[in-house]
Amino acid sequence: MVQSFRSVSSDKLNDFWNGDAARRTIADFVNNAESCSLFFRESKNSIEVSDSPVKGNKGSSVFYMVKLQKSSLSEDDLQSQLLYGDITSDPMEHLATIAQRIYYPIVCNRETSHLWSETIAKDVRDNFETFVANLQITQGHIRGVTCLPLPNPGAAKEEEENMVMTGVAAKDSGKGGNGPSQHQIHSLEGAIITWTKQIKNVLKQDPEMVFMEQQNPGPCAEIEFWKAKAGNLNGIFDQLQSVKIRRVLKILDHSKSTYNAPFAKLCKEVFHARAEANNIIKYLRPLLAWFEGLENEGEFEKITNYFRPILHLLLLVWKSSAYYNTPARIVIIMREICNTLIKQATLYLQGDLIFELIDNGEAPQAVKMLQNTLRVVGKFKSTYFDYKAKASVECPDNPWRVQNNAIFVRLDSFLERCHDILDLAQTILLYSKLAKIEVGGTKGKTLTTSVQQLHSDFMQAIEAIRQVGKGVLNLENKDFDDAFYEFRTRMKELDRRLGSVIVQGFEDVTTVAGRFRLLDSFDNLISRPIVADELEKKHATLIAAIQYDILEVQHIFNMYYDNPVVAHNLPPI
C-alpha cells in the first residue's frame, strides 16, 4: 500500500494510521463479516479510506482490499482471505494495460501453452484476444469515438516487423514455411472482420436515426449528429493511416488474404463519407447560433425573427454544399425546426393552462394566445414557401422538390390540435353567456328554463373534455381527439336545441324591436352555423315585419302631413 502512495509523506501516513476515523473503518472491515471491501485514495497529500467504491483523483491510484468470503479476518492467513491491489483513476485504461502488457504475453507464451492441449491453448488465445478487442472498443465508446482494436496487442514491435519480413521473404523465395503462422494470419483476418463491422456501423449512420434515438429532436441535434459522425470518421481515417494498421494490411497482402480487396474498397467508402461529413459540418456550423436562439428564445412571439435568417442560410448551404443539397437533407432539418416550433408553442401555451384561464374567467386571453400561436406557425410556413419559390428561381437545376406533407406532417397535426382547442375556447366563451340570459314574452319562463338546461348540458360536455387529463397539446394523446369528436357531436345537438329555443322566442315576440332585443341577447351565438340555419327560416318573416312597420309609418306620415298632430306643450307650427 505504501508503494501505491509514494507521493504522500511518511508523517502524513502516520497521521492517517493513527486517526480515529481510519481505525474505526479498518476495525469494522476486519471484524465485521458484512463489511467486504475497503478503498484507499490520496487526497490533499493525505489518505482517505472508505468501505464503498471511490473514484481516484486524476493522476493518482486507488488501493483496494476485498474479502474472498463474508467473514471476519484472522491474523493467521491473510493472504488466503484477501484480494488486494491498486488501480488508476481510469479503471478501463488500467485494465487494458494489465491485459495487454501482462496477461497477453503469459497467455501466448509457448511454455504456458505446453501445459494445455493445442485445442485448449488456441481456445484460450482466441477468447482472450476477443476480450482485449472488446476492451479497446469499449474504451473508444467511452471517449465517444470508434476504436479499431489491434491484434496481438502485447506483441513487441520487433516481432511484428519480423512477421512482415518473414512474409516478404517467403513471397520472394516462393516458400510458405517461413511466413507468419496460420494462427497469426487467422488473428489478423479476425481483426479485419471486426474493423469491417465497426466501420459499416459508422457508415450506415443517417440523420434519420436521430428521430429514433431522441423524441422529437430539434435542429441542434442535426449539427451534433454530423459533428459526431465527422469526428468518428476522422478518427477511423487516422487509425487506417497509422503504422500499425498498415503493417497488418501489409502482412495480409503478402499472405494473399482474400479480405484485403473488400477492405480496401471499404476504406474508399470511409474517405468519401469523411469528406461528406466534414463538408456538411463546415456549412452547417454558421446555423448553430440561430438554431440555439430559436430553441432558447424566451418570448414566443419573437421567434418569428429567426425564420428568414435560418431559411436564408439553408438556401445558401443548399447552393454551396456539394452534399447537403438533396431533398432528404432538407426534409430532416425542416422537420427538426418544426419540432422546435411545437416545443416553443407548447411552452407558450403551457398546455393545460388554457383550462385554468377559462376557469378564471379569462377565456379571451386563452383565445388570444391560441391565435398568436396560429399566427406565428403560419408565418413560418409562409416564409418556407417564399424560400422554396426562391430556390426554384436561383437553383433551376436543383430546386426544393419536397412534398409539403413530408415536412409539415407533425406541424400540421399540431395546428389542427390548436384549432380544435381554439374552437373549444371560443365555444366556451359563447356558451358561458347562456347562464345570464333570460327570455321575455308569454313563453319567457319556459324558454329561460330551456336555456338554463342547455347551459347545464354544455358544462357536462366540457367536463368530458377535462377528464382527458393533462397533455391536451401532446400529439401522442389520442384521448383528446376522441373526446373532442364526442364534444363536437354533442355541440351539434346543443346548437339545434339552441336554434329551436331562439326560433320559439322569435315567434312569441310580436314586435320588431322585441325580436331584435331577443337576437341581441344571444350575441354571437346566433352566428353558429346550425343556429344560423334555423334563424334563416325566419329571415323573410323579419323582413316582412320591418316592411310592415315602415309602411305603417309611411301611412301615418301621409295621413297627418297636411295637419300634423302637435302636442299640447309645444308651440303651434
Side-chain angles (χ1 to χ4, degrees), residues 156-321:
K157 180 178 179 181
E158 292 79 5
E159 183 181 343
E160 295 178 19
E161 290 176 347
N162 289 336
M163 290 171 61
V164 177
M165 297 307 297
T166 53
V168 174
K171 181 180 179 183
D172 294 339
S173 63
K175 298 179 181 180
N178 296 327
S181 67
Q182 189 63 34
H183 170 73
Q184 291 171 330
I185 296 298
H186 174 72
S187 175
L188 298 183
E189 288 179 340
I192 291 286
I193 293 172
T194 302
W195 297 346
T196 300
K197 291 179 180 178
Q198 290 179 274
I199 292 172
K200 284 184 176 180
N201 285 335
V202 175
L203 290 176
K204 71 180 183 181
Q205 290 177 357
D206 189 81
E208 189 75 27
M209 295 172 64
V210 177
F211 288 87
M212 294 182 283
E213 296 170 357
Q214 302 180 30
Q215 185 177 15
N216 306 321
C220 288
E222 172 84 353
I223 295 180
E224 290 302 319
F225 167 82
W226 286 110
K227 276 185 180 178
K229 186 170 183 179
N232 240 337
L233 290 170
N234 288 330
I236 291 173
F237 176 80
D238 292 339
Q239 291 176 77
L240 291 175
Q241 300 298 312
S242 67
V243 175
K244 292 183 178 180
I245 288 186
R246 283 181 172 274
R247 187 179 297 129
V248 170
L249 297 176
K250 192 173 183 180
I251 293 171
L252 293 177
D253 183 50
H254 291 319
S255 303
K256 298 181 179 179
S257 172
T258 57
Y259 289 91
N260 256 25
F263 190 73
K265 183 180 178 182
L266 187 65
C267 289
K268 291 181 180 178
E269 294 181 26
V270 171
F271 303 151
H272 175 77
R274 171 176 172 266
E276 177 190 29
N278 288 331
N279 177 273
I280 288 175
I281 198 62
K282 178 178 72 173
Y283 282 102
L284 287 184
R285 190 172 285 114
L287 280 156
L288 181 60
W290 292 101
F291 287 155
E292 289 177 345
L294 181 68
E295 292 185 354
N296 300 323
E297 178 58 59
E299 297 184 36
F300 178 69
E301 295 182 10
K302 287 186 177 181
I303 67 174
T304 54
N305 299 330
Y306 295 89
F307 295 162
R308 286 199 171 275
I310 287 175
L311 288 166
H312 184 73
L313 285 173
L314 282 176
L315 180 58
L316 291 178
V317 171
W318 179 275
K319 292 163 62 177
S320 305
S321 174

Side-chain angles (χ1 to χ4, degrees), residues 4-5 39-41 54-57 59-64 84-96 98:
S4 300
F5 303 108
F39 300 89
F40 301 85
R41 72 171 176 181
V54 294
K55 183 178 180 181
N57 297 318
S60 65
S61 60
V62 173
F63 185 84
Y64 62 87
Y84 57 89
D86 58 359
I87 188 169
T88 63
S89 57
D90 187 347
M92 292 299 297
E93 183 67 28
H94 183 84
L95 178 60
I98 291 177

Side-chain angles (χ1 to χ4, degrees), residues 312-497:
H312 184 73
L313 285 173
L314 282 176
L315 180 58
L316 291 178
V317 171
W318 179 275
K319 292 163 62 177
S320 305
S321 174
Y323 300 96
Y324 210 83
N325 56 0
T326 61
R329 296 281 181 259
I330 200 71
V331 165
I332 289 174
I333 194 71
M334 291 299 297
R335 284 173 59 192
E336 290 168 339
I337 294 173
C338 290
N339 287 338
T340 299
L341 278 182
I342 293 172
K343 180 182 176 183
Q344 287 282 44
T346 303
L347 290 174
Y348 172 65
L349 295 172
Q350 299 183 38
D352 303 295
L353 179 66
I354 298 296
F355 286 119
E356 294 180 16
L357 291 173
I358 292 171
D359 289 340
N360 296 332
E362 299 179 18
Q365 177 65 18
V367 170
K368 182 180 178 182
M369 291 173 67
L370 287 163
Q371 290 173 338
N372 285 340
T373 301
L374 296 174
R375 179 183 58 80
V376 169
V377 175
K379 176 70 173 177
F380 173 72
K381 292 186 70 173
S382 64
T383 305
Y384 164 77
F385 289 125
D386 289 344
Y387 274 91
K388 184 178 181 180
K390 195 173 183 179
S392 299
V393 175
E394 297 184 9
C395 310
D397 297 332
N398 187 26
W400 289 1
R401 293 191 182 94
V402 180
Q403 294 291 331
N404 296 332
N405 186 56
I407 293 176
F408 299 121
V409 57
R410 188 165 182 265
L411 188 64
D412 286 342
S413 296
F414 181 76
L415 283 174
E416 184 179 354
R417 179 66 61 87
C418 287
H419 278 293
D420 290 344
I421 298 174
L422 178 61
D423 183 32
L424 176 66
Q426 290 175 331
T427 303
I428 293 174
L429 187 62
L430 291 175
Y431 263 78
S432 61
K433 299 176 181 179
L434 293 179
K436 302 177 181 179
I437 292 178
E438 291 187 4
V439 182
T442 56
K443 297 181 180 179
K445 186 175 181 180
T446 303
L447 296 177
T448 300
T449 303
S450 299
V451 169
Q452 292 173 352
Q453 183 61 43
L454 275 170
H455 182 263
S456 176
D457 293 345
F458 172 75
M459 296 308 296
Q460 291 179 9
I462 292 298
E463 192 59 33
I465 291 283
R466 292 180 186 276
Q467 290 176 359
V468 172
K470 294 186 177 181
V472 294
L473 287 173
N474 183 6
L475 298 179
E476 305 301 324
N477 186 0
K478 302 302 181 183
D479 292 339
F480 177 83
D481 293 331
D482 298 336
F484 189 73
Y485 175 79
E486 292 294 330
F487 173 76
R488 284 190 296 184
T489 302
R490 295 188 67 178
M491 286 311 303
K492 290 179 181 178
E493 178 190 351
L494 293 178
D495 283 348
R496 280 192 289 270
R497 289 168 54 188

